[in-house]
Amino acid sequence: MIFPIVYNSVIIILRTCFTTIALSYLPVWLTLDYLADVMYIMDMIITVHTGYLDQGILIRDINQLKKHYLHSKPFFRDVVSLLPTDLLYFVFGIQTPMVRINRLLRIPRLNEALDRMETRTSYPNTFRIAKLMIYIFVLIHWNACLYFALSSYIGFGSDRWVYPNITDPEFASMRRQYIYCFWFSAQIFTTVGDTPLPKREEEYLFMIADLLIAVLVFASIVGNVGNVITSLRDRDNVFFPNHELVKAYLRSHHISKELRQRIDNWYQHLHINKKIMRENEILQQLPVHLRTEIAVSVHLPTLSKVTIFQSCEKSLLEELVLKLNPQVFSPGEYVCRKGDVGHEMYIIKEGKLAVVADDGVTEFAVLSEGNFFGEISILNIKGNKSGNRRTANIRSIGYSDLFSLSKEDLTDVLSEFPAAKCHLEEKGRQILTKMGMLEESGEGAEGEAEKVETKIERLEKNLEILQTKLARLMVELESSNRKMQARVEQLEWEVAALGTQPPEYVEGEEAEGRGEGVGGEVGFEREEAEGEEEGGSDAKVQKRGEGEDGKDVTKEGDGESTKSTKEDAERMVEGDRSGVKDPDNQGQKIEDEEEKGRDKGDDRPGKGDGAEIEPADEKVEKNTERESEEEGENDGEDSKETEPKDKEQKQ
């Protein structure tokens, strides 16, 4: 679709403004016009058969495709762009190709095609610049055609701003006409400013419109070119380390010139040979399965050359290739030294390395592409005489590209493949046995290590059981402490209640023993006060006297009763303790306490003198006698109360 759309965009306006060119090559233009129309029709047919995604599923059913296309906006646009407007030639004449202006409705299809090409090309920045230049060329072309048409309307050669008179043989040729107009338009859009000054209003308006468009064109050119340059710089920063930052750091710390030269050479080697050091960062945006496929296609042949990884399952190798890190070593640089602790193994991708003596001169062997070293140090094989330390000095002869695999990455991967781990350790033991680097007691040491691990596991289990039991005991201890504390609080409250009984509590106890007691007397006194009768008032005075006498008696015995109560409470607690050992003597102690209480003061109840600790049988008998006496007294009082109550009711 690029050809027919660009053709219509360029030729329709050209034939409309340059009538001489349109009439001179009319058969060619008509042929190309209808060829472009045929391509438009073919595009509609292909679009009908083009699948689309519905909820992530590619739809290919022809009926659904037709329904989807016929109900879409692009279908309406495509139909309008193919309307037979060429029939208007019979009305306006063959020299008016502007009747085909509806063909430009397919320009969105051109943008779609260019966007797809940009995503598929290997040089997207170059393609962006080319696309921008095409847009600018079409814009200048349209402006040149409009400039020629305006010059024809004003009159050729009427002033210096318009196109010169075409009667002049120098400006009469079609090629000169188009090139002059294109040059004039390019001068305006590039804001060069070397154009004749306009004289008429039409010329001024045309120049104003062109200058406004020129500002936008210039800004778009500068912006797009700047984006391209920035993207190129970002690409270099992603692919290669930032050399400028490193150079600034070296200058600020006054690094020696020799070391700075070595670093510059290393950077130069990376840029010249396109060595990529940040593979993981570049591919980080891709899904995991795509990263794995890329790493397998790039690194799997190299990893398969390692002896210990041969015959390993493919899934293990796919996990390992994602862990490989590329490294570049400069000439004369040591990859590892004898006695160093080995944390990674190396696979040579390109270059040569020498196994040298401690003096750095004597060479024992040369390692080339496909060789590897350091694989034993990352397996932690029991019985290895050298442990995890390097056994040789390896130095790069020239620039060498290596892949490194760290011990941590290998351990993480092997934790998911226990069978492969045992297989690799067995291969490592075989290699150490051939080299004479495996101790004979390696198996015994391994067995001892396993026994120690078993003991540790058993101790851990026992520790967990003991911790559980300890937690239960702590819970039981807390529960028993709470119960004991509650019991102690209850005993303290009972002792306090026995030791500090108020007089009101004693009088209340008398009231319970006598039936009605002081409460009845007080109620009777209130009735006499309300009735205001003589007989009732005498009874009232008599009862008040009795009540005051009772209060005085209680006050007189307060000191002795309080002391006796504290002594009785202490004896009661001691009796409770000793009662468990000698229950037969408990009754005798209680009788002695009662006799002491009677000797100290009056035996009347309600004085807090140890009446609470009387034997139950004697207390019941006394309460019964008191109730009978009080009932007799109350009967006499009731007869006296009846008379004033009747009088009150009558009043």
Side-chain angles (χ1 to χ4, degrees):
M1 292 302 296
I2 295 177
F3 167 73
I5 295 174
V6 172
Y7 167 78
N8 287 319
S9 301
V10 174
I11 300 302
I12 289 176
I13 187 69
L14 177 68
R15 291 163 56 190
T16 302
C17 297
F18 293 89
T19 56
T20 306
I21 297 176
L23 296 175
S24 301
Y25 302 97
L26 184 60
V28 177
W29 302 136
L30 293 177
T31 302
L32 294 175
D33 287 346
Y34 297 119
L35 180 61
D37 293 346
V38 171
M39 297 182 71
Y40 276 18
I41 296 172
M42 292 176 61
D43 179 64
M44 291 183 65
I45 296 173
I46 293 173
T47 304
V48 172
H49 293 80
T50 301
Y52 66 94
L53 293 176
D54 185 12
Q55 296 182 359
I57 301 175
L58 183 63
I59 305 299
R60 301 192 182 193
D61 183 63
I62 187 63
N63 295 324
Q64 295 185 16
L65 295 178
K66 289 180 180 178
K67 184 178 179 180
H68 179 263
Y69 178 64
L70 294 177
H71 291 82
S72 62
K73 292 182 180 179
F75 172 73
F76 177 76
R77 185 182 63 233
D78 295 344
V79 170
V80 174
S81 65
L82 280 175
L83 291 177
T85 54
D86 297 57
L87 298 176
L88 297 176
Y89 281 144
F90 297 104
V91 179
F92 300 104
I94 197 68
Q95 71 277 4
T96 56
M98 188 58 69
V99 297
R100 292 176 55 85
I101 195 66
N102 61 326
R103 302 302 190 270
L104 299 181
L105 293 174
R106 289 292 186 95
I107 289 179
R109 189 70 169 164
L110 174 64
N111 296 330
E112 181 183 354
L114 294 177
D115 292 340
R116 291 191 179 187
M117 291 179 64
E118 183 178 348
T119 58
R120 293 175 182 175
T121 182
S122 300
Y123 304 97
N125 293 319
T126 304
F127 185 83
R128 292 190 192 103
I129 296 295
K131 183 174 67 174
L132 178 64
M133 297 306 296
I134 290 174
Y135 287 155
I136 293 174
F137 167 77
V138 173
L139 185 61
I140 294 175
H141 168 77
W142 272 68
N143 192 72
C145 295
L146 294 176
Y147 168 74
F148 188 81
L150 182 61
S151 299
S152 176
Y153 172 76
I154 295 173
F156 296 114
S158 59
D159 55 37
R160 294 182 64 254
W161 187 85
V162 299
Y163 185 78
N165 196 344
I166 58 176
T167 57
D168 188 351
E170 184 180 358
F171 300 99
S173 64
M174 294 181 295
R175 181 167 42 182
R176 183 62 179 270
Q177 292 175 5
Y178 179 77
I179 293 175
Y180 180 89
C181 294
F182 194 90
W183 169 80
F184 187 86
S185 180
Q187 275 190 326
I188 298 175
F189 280 162
T190 55
T191 64
V192 173
D194 190 15
T195 56
L197 294 176
K199 302 293 183 181
R200 300 171 178 267
E201 291 81 358
E202 297 87 351
E203 297 173 357
Y204 277 109
L205 293 175
F206 186 84
M207 286 295 296
I208 291 171
D210 277 5
L211 289 175
L212 292 176
I213 297 173
V215 172
L216 298 178
V217 171
F218 184 77
S220 63
I221 293 174
V222 173
N224 280 275
V225 173
N227 290 334
V228 170
I229 295 173
T230 303
S231 63
L232 290 174
R233 184 175 299 173
D234 293 340
R235 184 198 64 181
D236 292 339
N237 292 336
V238 171
F239 274 67
F240 310 107
N242 196 335
H243 191 194
E244 298 298 330
L245 293 178
V246 177
K247 290 172 69 175
Y249 177 83
L250 297 178
R251 286 194 301 268
S252 63
H253 288 76
H254 306 288
I255 304 300
S256 62
K257 184 177 180 181
E258 181 182 358
L259 181 56
R260 280 188 292 173
Q261 185 63 37
R262 288 173 56 192
I263 295 172
D264 292 340
N265 293 337
W266 183 77
Y267 271 104
Q268 186 177 6
H269 170 74
L270 294 181
H271 280 276
I272 292 175
N273 297 280
K274 304 300 179 184
K275 304 293 183 181
I276 301 174
M277 301 298 297
R278 299 179 178 179
E279 292 184 355
N280 296 331
E281 296 181 13
I282 296 170
L283 304 177
Q284 191 174 4
Q285 304 298 329
L286 295 176
V288 177
H289 64 279
L290 291 179
R291 290 206 306 266
T292 303
E293 292 183 7
I294 294 173
V296 166
S297 62
V298 174
H299 304 315
L300 187 59
T302 303
L303 188 63
S304 300
K305 295 178 182 180
V306 182
T307 306
I308 60 174
F309 295 130
Q310 292 176 354
S311 71
C312 287
E313 52 185 311
K314 188 177 180 182
S315 57
L316 173 63
L317 298 180
E318 290 177 354
E319 291 288 337
L320 289 177
V321 292
L322 294 174
K323 308 294 184 180
L324 294 178
N325 295 316
Q327 295 185 11
V328 177
F329 291 90
S330 303
E333 185 177 358
Y334 279 89
V335 179
C336 62
R337 293 180 181 272
K338 186 177 180 180
D340 293 344
V341 178
H343 295 287
E344 60 274 318
M345 66 167 296
Y346 296 95
I347 304 171
I348 303 175
K349 179 184 178 183
E350 183 180 350
K352 292 184 178 182
L353 293 90
V355 182
V356 298
D358 295 338
D359 57 4
V361 178
T362 307
E363 294 184 359
F364 298 115
V366 176
L367 304 177
S368 59
E369 179 181 353
N371 294 122
F372 54 90
F373 56 92
E375 70 279 7
I376 302 299
S377 61
I378 64 174
L379 289 177
N380 288 332
I381 299 175
K382 305 296 182 182
N384 188 359
K385 294 181 180 180
S386 61
N388 293 332
R389 298 188 177 276
R390 304 294 188 186
T391 58
N393 300 314
I394 299 180
R395 187 181 60 190
S396 177
I397 298 176
Y399 286 101
S400 303
D401 297 344
L402 281 72
F403 288 116
S404 65
L405 178 64
S406 66
K407 182 189 296 185
E408 291 77 11
D409 293 337
L410 180 62
T411 303
D412 292 341
V413 174
L414 291 180
S415 62
E416 301 176 0
F417 299 90
K421 180 179 180 181
C422 297
H423 177 68
L424 292 177
E425 289 179 353
E426 183 62 28
K427 279 195 171 185
R429 290 191 194 93
Q430 294 176 2
I431 295 173
L432 289 175
T433 303
K434 292 180 181 179
M435 296 171 60
M437 300 293 293
L438 186 64
E439 295 180 356
E440 297 179 357
S441 59
E443 297 180 357
E446 183 178 359
E448 291 179 359
E450 292 178 356
K451 290 181 180 179
V452 171
E453 291 178 358
T454 306
K455 290 180 180 179
I456 292 173
E457 292 178 357
R458 185 171 64 254
L459 290 174
E460 289 177 352
K461 292 179 180 178
N462 294 336
L463 180 59
E464 292 178 358
I465 295 171
L466 291 175
Q467 288 177 349
T468 305
K469 291 181 178 180
L470 178 61
R472 292 177 181 174
L473 292 174
M474 293 297 293
V475 172
E476 293 177 359
L477 179 60
E478 291 178 1
S479 177
S480 61
N481 286 338
R482 287 195 297 269
K483 292 179 180 179
M484 185 66 71
Q485 186 177 1
R487 179 61 178 164
V488 170
E489 290 177 356
Q490 183 178 2
L491 291 175
E492 290 177 353
W493 181 80
E494 292 177 357
V495 171
L498 292 174
T500 58
Q501 277 187 342
E504 291 80 355
Y505 177 78
V506 177
E507 292 178 0
E509 205 170 35
E510 287 181 0
E512 290 178 359
R514 294 176 182 177
E516 295 179 358
V518 179
E521 295 174 0
V522 174
F524 180 65
E525 289 174 1
R526 292 178 181 173
E527 291 176 357
E528 288 179 342
E530 292 175 358
E532 296 179 357
E533 295 296 333
E534 294 178 356
S537 63
D538 296 337
K540 178 179 178 182
V541 172
Q542 183 179 358
K543 295 297 179 180
R544 287 182 179 175
E546 293 176 0
E548 290 175 356
D549 295 337
K551 290 181 180 179
D552 294 334
V553 172
T554 304
K555 292 179 179 178
E556 290 174 0
D558 279 347
E560 295 180 356
S561 63
T562 304
K563 295 179 181 178
S564 62
T565 302
K566 293 181 179 179
E567 293 175 358
D568 294 343
E570 293 175 357
R571 293 193 190 100
M572 184 178 178
V573 174
E574 293 175 358
D576 291 338
R577 296 177 180 174
S578 62
V580 178
K581 298 180 181 179
D582 192 4
D584 297 336
N585 298 330
Q586 186 176 3
Q588 183 66 30
K589 290 181 179 180
I590 294 172
E591 293 176 358
D592 296 340
E593 291 173 357
E594 289 177 352
E595 293 176 359
K596 292 179 181 179
R598 289 170 185 171
D599 295 338
K600 286 182 180 180
D602 55 352
D603 299 330
R604 287 176 296 178
K607 293 179 68 176
D609 54 353
E612 290 80 4
I613 59 175
E614 291 180 353
D617 297 337
E618 295 178 2
K619 188 175 182 179
V620 172
E621 291 176 0
K622 291 180 180 180
N623 291 335
T624 305
E625 292 175 357
R626 292 171 186 169
E627 289 175 359
S628 61
E629 292 174 359
E630 291 172 357
E631 287 176 359
E633 293 175 358
N634 293 333
D635 291 338
E637 293 173 358
D638 292 336
S639 62
K640 295 178 182 180
E641 293 175 1
T642 305
E643 293 177 359
K645 287 183 179 180
D646 294 337
K647 292 179 180 181
E648 289 176 1
Q649 291 177 358
K650 289 178 182 180
Q651 291 176 359

